[in-house]
């Protein structure tokens, strides 16, 4: 049976980020276990993040993007994909933070539950820089 | 009249094709392009390789686990990964004088004991990874009614058992599974990178077709277009309709179709590899040794069994088990018996349940056979057909019909019907979370 998607905060399709003021995006991916498998890629940057870039398997993965100027490409499309191969539940939260790391606004909060091994899914949005 | 009819049919087909390409009201551009790419991919096969259910891509023939927090790769061990409780409720008797002993047992893995002792969630990723070895060992403790004429006591027996899975290629941390995951990480990466690039290209084609920007005002107009949620849910459907109207010569749509077709290639590579690897892992063999004993007080007969078990998936729905054992019965007052036993079982998953349907789990039909021979005993052959019916998540009712060539300890001659209930307390707990 296909997994269930619950948009706690629906995907708006874009994220406006004032990088000139030091704003950046923070991604938090919670995994129900036991073996999470995810990939995030940008239309300019290629692969931005996946679980193998963390020091070991985790229940929560946190990373940021756009903090470095090398990440900043106006209108870049960011896609975060998850595989349910050995992990049935995920929750992806994206927030915009100011330069000090304080959360300014939640961009999206999507939860997937009950995935089966041969399923995968993704969420994408476009970054609009100021 | 014929000419008009032919044109009408063609027009209808063209309209149907365009409608199939159009986004639904609940799709954003990402869901739409994945659905379109899946449709192109499925068009190359006699049967669909992936479902087009919006954001979900599932193999139609895949077995699923709808249990919270668990996956069917985790569920495939021959005992529950964590714990189970089995109760034989009633034997449906062939004759009123024939009775079958009542029994109940609980099986737990060393992993679940360790998790409980450390206060850890069973599927905690780090804990699961660090304690792979503990999932290989399980313990059973139970009780069984004794019959004076067969067991030389009427006091209940204490059942003790231990199983060690020494080769488990189905475990997600087996070498086979880790290699598969590395391969799939690479192909999945190609899909996600491809999706990001594809979405970017399609967005720009649609924007440029609709607004015809100059280089001077491109960024300003594109930013406003994106922020208007033109590609989001629910804006994308209306954007597409406007785009189709503006694309008078169809060239922009042709370009999009070509891009989608190109993207369907990495999608196909990943989907085919994923299905192949999942099947391989779900059908991978398992080897285990098991030791069990029934201990009875006073002069009761103590029983011992040492068993070698082999388990292999034959298909996504079928599984085969083979086991051989040495059985020893310790009679306190007469001659002991020693016997060798060979048994085999085929299991077939008849129906894949769902958490919202009538059947909250799989309905499994199995057929098994056993032959036992030893010193001081006539050989005995038994067969059984069993149907397991799920009642709710974590609770199932096995209904078994068996036939034995003669009477033996705990075995009635001829045919018998037996009803039991199996409770998995961990799945019940997961369900209530």
């Amino acid at each position: 049976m296909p997994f269930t998607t619950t948009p706690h905060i629906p995907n708006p399709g874009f994220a406006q980020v004032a990088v000139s003021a030091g704003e950046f995006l923070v991604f938090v991916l919670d995994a129900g276990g036991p073996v999470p498998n995810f990939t995030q890629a940008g239309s300019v940057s290629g692969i931005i993040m996946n679980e193998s870039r963390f020091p070991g398997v985790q229940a929560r993965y946190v990373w940021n993007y756009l903090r470095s100027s090398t990440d900043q490409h106006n209108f870049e499309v960011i896609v975060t994909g998850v595989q349910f191969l050995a992990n049935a539940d995920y929750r992806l939260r994206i927030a915009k933070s100011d330069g000090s790391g304080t959360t300014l606004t939640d961009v999206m909060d999507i939860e997937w539950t009950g995935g089966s091994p041969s399923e995968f899914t993704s969420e994408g949005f476009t970054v609009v820089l100021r | 009249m014929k000419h008009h009819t032919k044109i009408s049919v063609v027009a209808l087909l063209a309209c149907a094709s365009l409608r199939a390409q159009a986004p639904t009201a609940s799709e954003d551009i990402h869901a739409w392009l994945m659905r379109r790419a899946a449709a192109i991919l499925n068009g190359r096969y006699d049967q669909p390789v992936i479902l087009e259910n919006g954001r979900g891509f599932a193999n139609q023939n895949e077995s699923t686990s709808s249990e919270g927090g668990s996956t069917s790769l985790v569920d495939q061990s021959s005992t529950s990964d964590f714990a189970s409780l089995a109760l034989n409720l009633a034997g449906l008797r062939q004759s009123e004088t024939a009775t079958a002993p009542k029994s109940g047992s609980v099986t737990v893995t060393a992993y679940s004991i360790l998790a409980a002792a450390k206060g850890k969630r069973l599927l905690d990723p780090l804990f699961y990874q660090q304690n792979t070895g503990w999932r290989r060992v399980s313990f059973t403790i139970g009780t069984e009614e004794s019959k004076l004429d067969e067991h030389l006591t009427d006091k209940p027996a204490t059942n003790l058992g231990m199983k060690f899975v020494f080769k488990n290629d189905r475990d997600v941390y087996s070498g086979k599974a880790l290699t598969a995951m590395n391969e799939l990480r690479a192909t999945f990466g190609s899909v996600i990178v491809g999706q990001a690039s594809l979405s970017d290209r399609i967005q720009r084609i649609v924007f440029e077709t609709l607004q015809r920007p100059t280089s001077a005002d491109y960024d300003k107009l594109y930013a406003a277009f994106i922020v208007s949620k033109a590609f989001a849910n629910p804006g994308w459907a209306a954007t597409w309709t406007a785009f189709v109207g503006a694309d008078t010569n169809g060239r922009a749509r042709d370009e999009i179709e070509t891009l989608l077709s190109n993207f369907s290639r990495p999608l196909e590579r990943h989907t085919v590899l994923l299905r192949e690897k999942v099947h391989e892992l779900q059908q991978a063999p398992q080897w285990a040794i098991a030791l069990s004993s029934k201990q009875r007080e006073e002069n009761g007969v103590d029983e011992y069994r040492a068993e070698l078990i082999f388990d292999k998936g034959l298909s996504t729905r079928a599984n085969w088990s083979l086991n051989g054992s040495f059985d020893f019965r310790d009679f306190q007052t007469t001659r002991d018996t020693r016997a060798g036993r060979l048994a085999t079982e085929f299991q077939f998953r008849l129906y894949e349940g769902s958490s919202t349907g009538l059947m909250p789990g799989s309905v499994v039909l199995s057929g098994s056979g056993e032959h036992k021979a030893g010193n001081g005993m006539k050989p005995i052959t038994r067969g059984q057909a069993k149907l397991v019916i799920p009642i709710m998540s974590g609770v199932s009712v096995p209904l078994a019909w068996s036939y034995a060539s003669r009477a033996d300890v705990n075995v009635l001659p001829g045919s018998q019907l037996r009803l039991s209930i199996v409770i998995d307390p961990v799945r019940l707990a997961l369900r209530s979370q």
Side-chain angles (χ1 to χ4, degrees), chain B residues 73-309:
Chain B
L73 283 182
V74 175
D75 294 348
Q76 290 298 314
S77 51
S78 50
T79 54
S80 167
D81 258 18
F82 310 122
S84 67
L85 174 71
L87 295 169
N88 282 335
L89 290 180
L92 302 174
R93 305 181 186 89
Q94 187 191 16
S95 79
E96 287 183 4
T97 56
T99 59
K102 308 290 187 297
S103 66
S105 67
V106 60
T107 300
V108 294
T109 60
Y111 176 82
S112 61
I113 295 171
L114 184 68
K118 296 199 169 193
K120 290 288 188 181
R121 196 167 56 86
L122 286 168
L123 293 177
D124 176 274
L126 190 58
F127 187 79
Y128 197 91
Q129 180 191 44
Q130 290 173 339
N131 297 287
T132 300
W134 292 75
R135 287 195 297 282
R136 294 174 176 270
V137 182
S138 60
F139 304 99
T140 298
I141 186 164
T143 183
E144 186 177 295
E145 187 185 43
S146 297
K147 305 221 174 286
L148 191 60
D149 54 343
E150 289 176 13
H151 306 119
L152 308 184
T153 180
D154 56 4
K155 298 223 170 32
T158 301
N159 296 349
L160 301 167
M162 189 194 87
K163 185 155 106 177
F164 174 62
V165 184
F166 59 88
K167 183 169 172 57
N168 186 7
D169 283 342
R170 295 182 196 176
D171 190 282
V172 293
Y173 281 107
S174 67
K176 198 181 183 86
L178 291 174
T179 302
M181 286 198 203
N182 283 338
E183 289 179 55
L184 289 166
R185 183 181 298 113
T187 53
F188 188 54
S190 297
V191 169
I192 299 303
V193 168
Q195 183 186 339
S197 295
L198 175 66
S199 175
D200 180 44
R201 280 301 302 133
I202 294 176
Q203 285 181 182
R204 290 176 185 273
I205 289 170
V206 168
F207 162 67
E208 289 161 11
T209 302
L210 280 170
Q211 303 219 338
R212 315 271 179 211
T214 64
S215 55
D217 57 13
Y218 191 104
D219 283 7
K220 184 178 162 193
L221 290 177
Y222 192 38
F225 193 71
I226 291 168
V227 170
S228 73
K229 299 195 177 186
F231 301 116
N233 171 16
W236 172 233
T239 304
W240 176 264
T241 303
F243 162 72
V244 169
D247 182 31
T248 47
N249 57 19
R251 283 200 198 121
R253 272 170 286 163
D254 288 343
E255 188 182 353
I256 288 175
E257 207 59 26
T258 301
L259 290 169
L260 286 166
S261 182
N262 292 342
F263 173 66
S264 72
R265 299 287 175 191
L267 184 63
E268 179 178 12
R269 272 194 294 278
H270 177 66
T271 306
V272 169
L273 183 68
L274 178 60
R275 190 168 63 167
E276 176 190 306
K277 292 300 173 188
V278 168
H279 287 179
E280 266 180 35
L281 291 172
Q282 288 180 333
Q283 294 166 34
Q286 293 176 309
W287 285 93
I289 51 174
L291 303 170
S292 60
S293 174
K294 293 178 188 175
Q295 296 290 306
R296 294 184 173 88
E297 294 175 33
E298 299 169 356
N299 291 327
V301 179
D302 295 332
E303 298 174 52
Y304 302 88
R305 171 174 286 178
E307 192 173 16
L308 180 67
I309 304 166

Side-chain angles (χ1 to χ4, degrees), chain A residues 1-3 11-14 16 31-37 39-43 46-47 50-52 57-59 74-75 77 79 81-89 114 116-126 128, chain B residues 28 30 34 53 55-59 62 64 68-74 121 123 125-126 128-129 172-173 181 184-185 188-189 192-193 195-197 199-200 203-204 219 222-223 226-227 229 232 267 270-271 274 278 354 356:
Chain A
M1 178 180 172
F3 58 88
N11 184 348
F14 68 94
Q16 263 186 317
V35 187
N37 190 289
T39 297
Q40 184 179 71
S43 55
I47 292 187
N50 62 34
E51 80 288 344
S52 70
V57 69
Q58 307 186 22
N74 202 7
F75 308 129
V77 175
V79 177
V82 297
Q83 292 200 90
F84 297 102
L85 185 60
N87 189 103
D89 306 321
S116 64
S118 60
E119 289 183 298
F120 54 92
T121 190
S122 61
E123 284 288 335
F125 64 96
T126 305
V128 179
Chain B
D28 67 4
H30 293 275
M34 289 299 273
N53 57 347
R55 294 180 189 264
F57 296 89
N59 187 321
E62 188 56 58
T64 63
S70 182
T71 71
S72 59
L73 283 182
V74 175
R121 196 167 56 86
L123 293 177
L126 190 58
Y128 197 91
Q129 180 191 44
V172 293
Y173 281 107
M181 286 198 203
L184 289 166
R185 183 181 298 113
F188 188 54
I192 299 303
V193 168
Q195 183 186 339
S197 295
S199 175
D200 180 44
Q203 285 181 182
R204 290 176 185 273
D219 283 7
Y222 192 38
I226 291 168
V227 170
K229 299 195 177 186
L267 184 63
H270 177 66
T271 306
L274 178 60
V278 168
S354 74
T356 55

Side-chain angles (χ1 to χ4, degrees), chain B residues 329-356:
Chain B
R329 294 180 70 220
D330 182 8
F331 286 82
Q332 310 293 336
T333 54
T334 62
R335 191 178 167 207
D336 301 334
T337 63
R338 293 168 180 79
R341 175 184 149 273
L342 191 65
T344 188
E345 182 180 28
F346 288 92
Q347 294 177 332
F348 188 74
R349 208 189 315 262
L350 287 178
Y351 174 80
E352 301 288 351
S354 74
S355 58
T356 55

